[in-house]
Amino acid sequence: MILQIIAVTASLGLLIAALGLSVLWLLRGRSIGVMLAVVAVVTVAATLAGVVAITMEMIIDGHPKDVVLTVVAIAGLVGLGVALVVARQVVAASRRLVVSVEAVSSSLEFTPPPGPLPAELRTIARALDQAYERLREGHERERALEGARRELVAWVSHDLRTPLAGMRAMVEALEDGVVDDTATVRRYHNQIRLEVDRLAHMVDDLFELSRIHAGALRLTPRRVGLGDLVADALAGVEALARAKGVRLTGETPPVLPVYADAAELGRALRNLVVNAIRHTPQDGAVVVRATADDGTVRLSVADACGGIPEDDLPRVFDVAFRGEAARTPGPDRGAGLGLAIARGIVEAHEGAIAVVNEGPGCRFEISLPLSVPPAS
């Protein structure tokens, strides 16, 4: 008897399940409410079919059979009704979420739908909120980069036009014989050479910055001693410091290694030191220090520039920012790209760079992880 009951109910259940799966496959592109209703109908139908078949054929007869069938029918209708109500609620919540998404304006401000949502839809709403937040941040960065690019093009065009006009005037004077005394000719030649060197340096900076922004900066990291890095950077700017009358000091522990690209990190440090020398008055001092604590290496460059206005501190590392109203550079001024290049190089090393006012000037600090080569 038990085996017969199992065989009958299992056969009916499998048949109804197969029909239900076929209907679900045909309706796979329809509303989730319709699919939930189909699932509820399949569940109730399988239960009712088994109970009715057993009741009609084997177990109960007469008035008790009518009672059982009535109870089963009512239970099936109740279950189906509850399933339909739940399906309508899920569909309504889904539609509220869709309306909230469609209401997102160009500002990308997403407002979750009012009222309670099922847990899965709440998760989707939170994910949408985070996604729109990332999109807003990305658009803001894109607008900032576009503004910086336009500003850079305008400023660099001005910086290129001024020395080119001067060199053209000197070349024409030499060609026309307006200047013929030896001292003046020599001075013109020296000035042209200096301007060419400055323009070449500006072009190099632009190329480096374009590599950084394009993500084409390729690092070759290896174990580097910071003492050697600081010594090389100071040696490379010693002539500039001597010409300005600025004292250079390097303070590094005997052995303090870091895993980095020596050439690129040295360029970043050299840019910071050159910037410090340019803004430090005569008889001032520029101090370069290297320290390590809590698994972090810090390279700091302190100068005597008199400090940076608080409003300018967040913009110090922006492209072409010089902290001055006049865009015409002095004889020892750069194009305002050195600090932006330094930030790009440091961030490519997964480090951070910052600046604070301290003492008679300000202090730029590079922070890098004191780590061994990553495991392959």
Side-chain angles (χ1 to χ4, degrees), residues 26-27 43 54 103 177 181 202 275 318 362:
L26 294 174
L27 301 177
T43 303
I54 298 304
D181 62 287
M202 186 184 301
N275 179 76
D318 288 353
C362 58

Coordinates of all heavy atoms in Angstrom, one line a residue, residues 26-27 43 54 103 177 181 202 275 318 362:
L26 N 9.0 28.8 -21.0 CA 8.4 29.7 -21.9 C 8.2 31.1 -21.4 O 8.2 32.0 -22.2 CB 7.0 29.1 -22.3 CG 7.0 27.7 -23.0 CD1 5.6 27.1 -23.2 CD2 7.7 27.9 -24.4
L27 N 8.0 31.2 -20.1 CA 7.8 32.6 -19.5 C 9.1 33.2 -18.9 O 9.0 34.1 -18.1 CB 6.7 32.5 -18.4 CG 5.4 31.9 -18.9 CD1 4.4 31.8 -17.7 CD2 4.8 32.9 -19.9
T43 N 3.3 23.9 -7.1 CA 3.4 23.3 -5.8 C 2.0 22.9 -5.3 O 1.8 21.7 -4.8 CB 4.0 24.3 -4.8 OG1 5.2 24.8 -5.3 CG2 4.1 23.7 -3.4
I54 N -5.1 9.7 -4.2 CA -5.2 8.7 -3.1 C -6.5 8.6 -2.4 O -7.1 7.5 -2.1 CB -4.1 9.0 -2.1 CG1 -2.7 8.9 -2.7 CG2 -4.1 8.0 -0.9 CD1 -2.4 7.6 -3.4
A103 N 14.6 57.7 -12.4 CA 14.5 59.1 -12.0 C 15.9 59.7 -11.8 O 16.0 60.9 -11.5 CB 13.7 59.2 -10.7
G177 N 72.8 91.5 -38.4 CA 74.0 92.2 -38.0 C 73.8 93.4 -37.1 O 74.6 94.3 -36.9
D181 N 79.1 93.2 -31.7 CA 80.2 93.1 -30.8 C 80.3 91.8 -30.1 O 79.3 91.1 -29.9 CB 80.1 94.2 -29.7 CG 78.9 94.1 -28.9 OD1 77.7 94.3 -29.5 OD2 79.0 93.6 -27.8
M202 N 61.2 71.2 -20.4 CA 59.8 71.3 -20.4 C 59.2 70.2 -21.2 O 58.2 69.6 -20.8 CB 59.3 72.7 -20.9 CG 57.8 72.9 -20.7 SD 57.3 74.5 -21.5 CE 58.4 75.7 -20.5
N275 N 62.2 72.1 -6.4 CA 61.2 73.0 -6.0 C 61.5 73.7 -4.7 O 61.2 74.9 -4.6 CB 59.9 72.2 -5.9 CG 58.7 73.1 -5.5 OD1 58.1 73.8 -6.3 ND2 58.3 72.9 -4.2
D318 N 48.6 69.9 -8.3 CA 47.9 70.0 -9.6 C 48.8 70.3 -10.7 O 49.9 71.0 -10.6 CB 46.8 71.1 -9.5 CG 45.7 70.7 -8.6 OD1 45.7 69.5 -8.2 OD2 44.8 71.5 -8.3
C362 N 57.8 74.8 4.4 CA 56.9 73.7 4.3 C 57.7 72.4 4.1 O 58.9 72.4 3.9 CB 56.0 73.9 3.1 SG 56.8 74.0 1.5

